Amino acid sequence: FIGKNLDEKELRDGFNACIDTPEVLEKRIKTLRFAMGTKVECKTGGGWVKGEVVAHMYRDEFMPPGMVAPYQVKLDSGELIWAPEDVNNLIRKG
């Protein structure tokens, strides 16, 4: 039967790890590869473009519900973009 013999502590700990608290946000930021101010290159439709990390765990109203981007990047052109994942094929050290 579904729901029988579940480990309540494990379930509670897993749930609490998903809640957006200042502590959880701080943990997530610590796992990111690039600090604020780091010069990076981002993959765009026009190729790799240079910029600088200006925010961590970025969210705006145009993103799908629940989505949070690890980085917001200010390109050398002045345009603001965000990296949807912290992976080398989307964002790398500049």
Side-chain angles (χ1 to χ4, degrees), residues 3 5-18:
N5 301 320
L6 297 176
D7 184 337
E8 184 179 344
K9 182 182 180 328
E10 181 181 354
L11 289 171
R12 187 176 314 279
D13 290 347
F15 176 78
N16 288 336
C18 295

Side-chain angles (χ1 to χ4, degrees), residues 6-68:
L6 297 176
D7 184 337
E8 184 179 344
K9 182 182 180 328
E10 181 181 354
L11 289 171
R12 187 176 314 279
D13 290 347
F15 176 78
N16 288 336
C18 295
I19 297 174
D20 278 336
T21 63
E23 295 82 16
V24 169
L25 182 60
E26 186 177 332
K27 275 186 188 177
R28 289 182 183 159
I29 290 171
K30 284 182 180 179
T31 67
L32 298 176
R33 294 179 297 148
F34 305 117
M36 300 258 286
T38 301
K39 300 292 185 184
V40 294
E41 294 180 339
C42 295
K43 182 76 176 231
T44 68
W48 289 97
V49 182
K50 293 179 186 257
E52 179 180 332
V53 174
V54 295
H56 288 140
M57 306 314 287
Y58 177 74
R59 170 102 185 108
D60 70 30
E61 67 273 10
F62 301 109
M63 294 174 153
M67 181 175 184
V68 177

Side-chain angles (χ1 to χ4, degrees), residues 74-91:
K74 184 174 184 179
L75 301 178
D76 289 353
S77 67
E79 181 183 2
L80 288 170
I81 65 169
W82 46 271
E85 293 182 74
D86 187 10
V87 293
N88 267 336
N89 62 339
L90 296 176
I91 184 169

